Each structure stands twice: as C-alpha cells, then as structure tokens.
Amino acid sequence: MGDRKPYPSDVTDEQWALIGPFLDAWKAKRVSVSGHQGDYDLREIVNAILYQNRTGCQWAYLPHDLPQKSATYYYFALWRDDGTDQAIHELLRCQAREKAGRREDPTAVALDTQSLRAANHVPAATTGKDAAKRVPGRKRGLAVDALGLIIAVVVTAASITDNAIGIKLLDEVAEHAPTVTRAWVDAGFKQDVAVHGAVLGIDVEIVKRSDTGQGFVPVRKRWIVEQVNGTLMLHRRLAREYESRPESSVSRTLWASMANMVRRLTGTNTPSWRHR
C-alpha cells in the first residue's frame, strides 16, 4: 500500500493474512519463461477490486493511487476465469463456519432471487424483463447457509424463471457443498425444483408467508437469504447490473461476500455510506 492514505474498503493486515497466502501461492505458480511474475502488488489489486465493488465507480474512475484499470481488470478477469475467486471464497467460508462453531460444510441452504435493472451498455442478449416485477435487466439467484454465507450464485437474464434458476442453484450447491440435504425456497420455485432436488438428494421445502400483509415480512428459514441480498446492496457495484458478462456479476458477488467474511473473521467493519 506504500505511503498512500488507506480507503475504508482496503483490506487490513489481519484481513490480508487470510487472503494473501493463497494469492502468493497462486502467483508463485505463474512464473513466465523469462522468470517474470508481474510488477503489481496483489494486495493493491484486491484493494482496487474491493474499492470498485464498494463505490460502484467505472473502471476509468479508479483513483490514481490504486493500480490502473488495465492491471486491475486483467487480474479480476483472470481470477474470474480460472476459478481463483471461487476457491478463495470457499476457503473463507469454511473458516467463517468453523469460527462460528459449525462444521466446514453446511447441510441446509435457503434460495432466493433478486431482479436488477441493467445499465444501458449491458448487452441486450444477456438481459430480459422480469414479467412479475416488471424489471428489465438481469436476475441474481443466491443459495446461502444458515449463517448467511453464500454457497452458490447464478446470474441470468431477468426473463428467466425462478424455477430455472432454482435448478441451476441446486446444481451449484451439489458441486460446492455436497453435504447439503435440505433447501428452503419461496413459492416462486415450482415443483420442478423439488423434483430436481430429490434427484440430487436435496429435500426442497417451499416456505410460504403466513400473513397477507403488504411489504417485507421476515419468513422463517427464508429470511436469512433476503438479509444477504440487503447486505450486498451496500456494495454499490451490485445495486444495479453494470457488468457486460454474467460471469463478471457472479465474481462481483463473490468479492462482496469475501469482503464481508474477512470482516467476520477479524471482527472489523467497513463504514457504510450513511456514516459521515
């Protein structure tokens, strides 16, 4: 970080100790034929990604004292495509569960979707309109455990049904957390999700609201995933769909989740925009 003044989104020394060794090992394996490993400090690359996630700024508007756009995007895309972001996320999730006194792998998850308006530069081929919510853009599906830790993320056009997204989420859950045997969903997920879950050995239960009141009402088992959606909105890059590729949106969600988990693990916090 050098002599620059830190941003609230920067990782602390304690937080970097959780992520740094993994990225150092990753970097050590990527020595070129000439022996060159790159000039950029990976901690500063991570700081730049987290800064953009938290503030929602465009690539060209990254501060001059952070790595330039070309370098930051290079590593963001590289870690997205080679699965490094997913690997770090799963490592932190296991540590967060252990710290909370849970087993590394969960046995139950809650599923939900959220529709997001897309910016005007997002390709029309990867967007659609949510007929129920009348939101043009994309839809983000989440599967989280009882602690609110993300197990799986799926990003599609908003026109894709919750049923189809639920099936994809269950596939991701089975891949990344094969110990899961139960899933709670809302009424938007139809019988096909339950059937697919049964094939995977996951018992899917539809948990409906018990009242007819308007507005948000916490629902048993399902409230945790809705809370996670609300927490993700503190990362402004996720408040609207800005990414050209759905895969980048998934990676953005993972980085936001990682930022939340390193704070859990170190007992620290990042001031929200409401703080003066």
Side-chain angles (χ1 to χ4, degrees):
M1 191 161 61
D3 298 327
R4 72 170 176 83
K5 185 178 179 180
Y7 294 103
S9 57
D10 285 350
V11 291
T12 64
D13 291 343
E14 192 177 5
Q15 292 170 355
W16 180 245
L18 298 170
I19 302 175
F22 187 97
L23 289 179
D24 289 340
W26 173 88
K27 187 176 183 178
K29 296 178 181 179
R30 294 186 57 83
V31 181
S32 67
V33 176
S34 62
H36 184 66
Q37 287 186 306
D39 298 326
Y40 286 98
D41 181 356
L42 295 186
R43 178 171 176 174
E44 283 292 78
I45 296 293
V46 170
N47 284 335
I49 293 173
L50 297 182
Y51 177 93
Q52 191 180 38
N53 249 24
R54 192 76 184 193
T55 64
C57 74
Q58 299 174 23
W59 283 105
Y61 285 80
L62 282 171
H64 296 301
D65 53 2
L66 288 174
Q68 59 185 329
K69 164 192 172 181
S70 58
T72 303
Y73 181 77
Y74 169 79
Y75 283 101
F76 171 79
L78 186 60
W79 292 337
R80 175 198 66 199
D81 295 340
D82 71 4
T84 296
D85 53 3
Q86 181 74 54
I88 297 175
H89 183 270
E90 292 187 5
L91 176 65
L92 292 175
R93 189 189 75 224
C94 290
Q95 293 180 17
R97 286 185 59 84
E98 285 187 328
K99 183 177 180 181
R102 303 293 187 101
R103 294 181 179 178
E104 283 191 6
D105 298 311
T107 58
V109 294
L111 276 56
D112 196 18
T113 64
Q114 182 181 35
S115 294
L116 302 166
R117 291 184 179 275
N120 56 10
H121 68 274
V122 177
T126 61
T127 62
K129 186 173 183 179
D130 185 333
K133 299 178 181 177
R134 300 180 182 179
V135 175
R138 288 195 182 133
K139 190 178 289 185
R140 179 168 56 229
L142 295 180
V144 307
D145 66 10
L147 299 177
L149 303 176
I150 294 177
I151 307 300
V153 186
V154 170
V155 176
T156 69
S159 53
I160 301 299
T161 65
D162 286 2
N163 211 34
I165 293 176
I167 290 173
K168 291 183 179 180
L169 280 172
L170 289 178
D171 286 337
E172 293 284 330
V173 168
E175 177 182 353
H176 299 295
T179 53
V180 170
T181 58
R182 195 170 186 82
W184 295 291
V185 300
D186 64 23
F189 296 87
K190 307 303 181 184
Q191 188 62 28
D192 287 349
V193 177
V195 172
H196 190 71
V199 173
L200 298 174
I202 301 174
D203 180 21
V204 178
E205 178 186 351
I206 297 177
V207 183
K208 299 181 179 180
R209 284 177 54 149
S210 60
D211 67 289
T212 57
Q214 295 184 349
F216 174 73
V217 177
V219 180
R220 69 177 185 88
K221 307 297 185 183
R222 275 178 30 211
W223 67 271
I224 187 66
V225 65
E226 293 167 347
Q227 182 187 64
V228 173
N229 274 324
T231 303
L232 291 178
M233 291 302 98
L234 292 174
H235 301 265
R236 290 189 172 186
R237 189 80 180 191
L238 300 179
R240 192 169 183 179
E241 188 53 66
Y242 293 108
E243 308 304 326
S244 296
R245 296 175 55 181
E247 297 89 345
S248 293
S249 295
V250 171
S251 185
R252 288 285 181 191
T253 306
L254 294 176
W255 279 108
S257 179
M258 283 188 267
N260 292 338
M261 284 193 289
V262 293
R263 290 197 294 273
R264 281 194 186 200
L265 289 166
T266 59
T268 55
N269 65 77
T270 299
S272 72
W273 59 269
R274 295 180 178 87
H275 288 77
R276 296 183 178 179

